[in-house]
Amino acid sequence: MAGEIEDAIERVDREAFTKEPPKTLKGQISFLIKQFGSAKAVATEIDEAVRQRWQPLVRKRRQKKAATSTGITVETPARFGYTAPLPSCTRTAAGLADEVQG
């Protein structure tokens, strides 16, 4: 019984003190501009919301593509060294050409 009374009070409260949100796009945008103070702030908010929803979709699509066909390429700088005998480090291209011909 107590639950029914609380539900009834909540329903009456909701009906008496609330209003349906704007249904048209123009009305919704007007509401958001009033809430955020400017159209630029609304655009920033929309941009952030789109990014939050967009990125997971892009990641999922690219991961699926990598898993099924293209694979993943990881690029990293690398340095491969070769230690040559001391005189060879000082040889010039002309000196090397002489050695090859001679």
Side-chain angles (χ1 to χ4, degrees):
M1 176 102 175
E4 292 176 18
I5 293 173
E6 289 175 4
D7 290 343
I9 291 172
E10 186 177 324
R11 187 179 66 247
V12 169
D13 182 54
R14 190 173 48 243
E15 290 171 359
F17 299 111
T18 61
K19 184 178 176 184
E20 287 291 317
K23 292 184 180 184
T24 65
L25 181 59
K26 183 178 180 180
Q28 292 171 347
I29 291 173
S30 296
F31 169 75
L32 290 173
I33 289 172
K34 288 177 190 173
Q35 290 295 307
F36 289 105
S38 70
K40 187 173 183 178
V42 172
T44 301
E45 207 54 37
I46 291 172
D47 184 53
E48 290 174 14
V50 168
R51 285 180 190 272
Q52 285 178 341
R53 288 164 179 81
W54 174 260
Q55 289 306 322
L57 296 175
V58 171
R59 282 191 197 106
K60 183 187 275 185
R61 194 174 347 155
R62 290 191 178 174
Q63 287 170 350
K64 183 178 179 182
K65 183 177 179 184
T68 59
S69 61
T70 62
I72 296 175
T73 302
V74 177
E75 295 181 16
T76 182
R79 187 174 181 180
F80 298 95
Y82 170 74
T83 305
L86 261 165
S88 68
C89 294
T90 58
R91 292 183 193 169
T92 63
L96 289 173
D98 289 340
E99 285 181 26
V100 170
Q101 290 175 358

